[in-house]
Amino acid sequence: MNLQEYFRRIGFSGVFKKPDLVTLRTVHKLHVMSISFENLSIHCGEQNTMDLQIVYEKIVKNHRGGWCCENNLLFSWVLREMGYKYTTLGCKVFNTLKNDFNPFNSHLINMVEIECKPYIADVSFGVSCQIWHPLEMIAGKDQEQPAGTFRLLNDSETWTLEKTGRKPLVQNKAFANSSLVDKRVTKTMYSFMLIPRGVDHFLNTCEYLQTSPESLFTQKSICSLQTPTGFRALIGWTYSEVTFNPEEDADIIEMREVADSEIETILKEKFHIVLVNKLTPINNKAAFKM
């Protein structure tokens, strides 16, 4: 495992003087622009793991993406190698179907301390709720980012992250009522407590998420990548390109269905991903919106 190889993977010059906020912002953004949030391994007959060496091989050497237990685990190694003081935390993701938080920590993030100030680094939530830069841990403060306004709330020991976005403008009217289009302007993302978590805390969850029929990740094949103007996503057979348009208070969404024969090309050209094993797309009903 080599930090310079990771830097080349995300297009970072690798020149930094100290673990400061400017460098963290740069590396965080380059990561989400270069490495997809994706669960394709589950639908290729492969297994996701929390073995850091295997995750490094997959994402850095083989130019794949990953889900949070891979991307944010790798990012914790990056933080350590770069000299940042960080703590790994577990989050309960908000389930839109149940209108409540999931009962267990299914999302991994990192809290980074710089000059005695804490920030949330999360390079793997994907689609329209992906933060591009670390968030200051200040309760109630509106923090503008390209995807919208993010806000951390604090209720005693529990922190909650929410996002206020823009109205979706779906260009293809056939997808106007697609279940993938999130029409909520303000949405709750996840909640967490400031309890340090090791890899062992997520092992059972990692297994559950890729095997249980109740899991979002077994019900949908997902691949998303941030772009300079928004993001793109392939969910099952639906390919979307989203352009953020804050001037008009809207997100412009281009959606279309793709054939099985197109998927390999789309993954290669739009996400820079080449799969070793054949992907079996799936897009069943589950609590997931772009």
Side-chain angles (χ1 to χ4, degrees):
M1 294 173 62
N2 181 278
L3 188 61
Q4 293 300 322
E5 190 174 31
Y6 167 81
F7 285 161
R8 288 192 292 272
R9 170 75 172 90
I10 66 170
F12 179 57
S13 67
V15 178
F16 63 95
K17 296 180 180 179
K18 61 179 180 178
D20 56 17
L21 181 58
V22 172
T23 303
L24 179 61
R25 283 174 57 89
T26 300
V27 173
H28 193 291
K29 181 180 178 180
L30 287 172
H31 188 114
V32 303
M33 293 284 173
S34 306
I35 299 174
S36 296
F37 169 76
E38 52 109 330
N39 70 336
L40 303 181
S41 290
I42 298 172
H43 305 286
C44 291
E46 302 164 358
Q47 185 174 17
N48 284 345
T49 177
M50 294 197 69
D51 182 310
L52 182 57
Q53 181 68 52
I54 294 174
V55 171
Y56 176 90
E57 294 276 339
K58 175 183 178 180
I59 294 177
V60 178
K61 287 186 175 294
N62 297 331
H63 283 242
R64 285 285 303 278
W67 59 6
C68 73
C69 288
E70 297 169 303
N71 267 315
N72 280 327
L73 177 65
L74 177 67
F75 203 68
S76 68
W77 169 79
V78 172
L79 292 169
R80 183 167 66 248
E81 292 294 301
M82 293 182 72
Y84 286 95
K85 181 180 180 181
Y86 75 95
T87 304
T88 297
L89 306 174
C91 305
K92 296 179 179 179
V93 176
F94 191 80
N95 187 313
T96 56
L97 291 182
K98 298 178 180 179
N99 198 37
D100 197 2
F101 293 100
N102 287 329
F104 53 87
N105 289 330
S106 61
H107 186 59
L108 183 160
I109 62 173
N110 291 292
M111 180 176 66
V112 186
E113 187 177 313
I114 302 173
E115 297 180 351
C116 298
K117 295 181 180 180
Y119 298 84
I120 291 300
D122 182 356
V123 296
S124 197
F125 203 79
V127 291
S128 67
C129 284
Q130 178 61 60
I131 63 172
W132 289 17
H133 303 289
L135 296 170
E136 295 180 76
M137 283 194 65
I138 300 177
K141 180 180 179 179
D142 286 351
Q143 302 188 53
E144 298 287 341
Q145 295 209 8
T149 302
F150 292 88
R151 190 178 305 104
L152 283 162
L153 306 175
N154 181 238
D155 179 12
S156 185
E157 297 180 338
T158 302
W159 289 79
T160 301
L161 177 59
E162 65 179 27
K163 175 211 157 189
T164 298
R166 299 172 284 267
K167 61 179 180 288
L169 295 181
V170 182
Q171 302 303 291
N172 186 338
K173 299 307 178 185
F175 291 90
N177 296 313
S178 170
S179 63
L180 295 175
V181 177
D182 197 342
K183 297 182 179 180
R184 297 170 302 160
V185 175
T186 297
K187 61 196 77 175
T188 302
M189 293 172 55
Y190 51 73
S191 67
F192 58 93
M193 300 175 71
L194 304 185
I195 301 174
R197 302 294 190 184
V199 168
D200 289 353
H201 179 75
F202 299 95
L203 292 179
N204 289 337
T205 298
C206 182
E207 179 67 18
Y208 169 86
L209 291 176
Q210 60 189 312
T211 58
S212 171
E214 301 297 317
S215 166
L216 155 69
F217 295 110
T218 62
Q219 296 303 303
K220 290 185 186 293
S221 53
I222 302 166
C223 186
S224 81
L225 183 65
Q226 303 299 299
T227 70
T229 56
F231 69 91
R232 53 181 65 121
L234 178 65
I235 301 164
W237 296 267
T238 304
Y239 176 68
S240 305
E241 292 195 355
V242 179
T243 302
F244 300 145
N245 188 357
E247 294 79 9
E248 302 293 333
D249 192 30
D251 289 342
I252 300 169
I253 305 175
E254 301 276 359
M255 303 178 75
R256 67 182 180 92
E257 292 295 308
V258 299
D260 284 332
S261 58
E262 292 181 82
I263 287 178
E264 183 178 322
T265 300
I266 287 175
L267 287 175
K268 183 176 182 180
E269 293 183 352
K270 301 297 186 179
F271 303 94
H272 317 295
I273 287 176
V274 177
L275 299 174
V276 174
N277 298 313
K278 182 175 174 54
L279 172 68
T280 303
I282 185 172
N283 187 15
N284 291 338
K285 184 178 181 180
F288 181 81
K289 295 179 183 292
M290 292 194 305

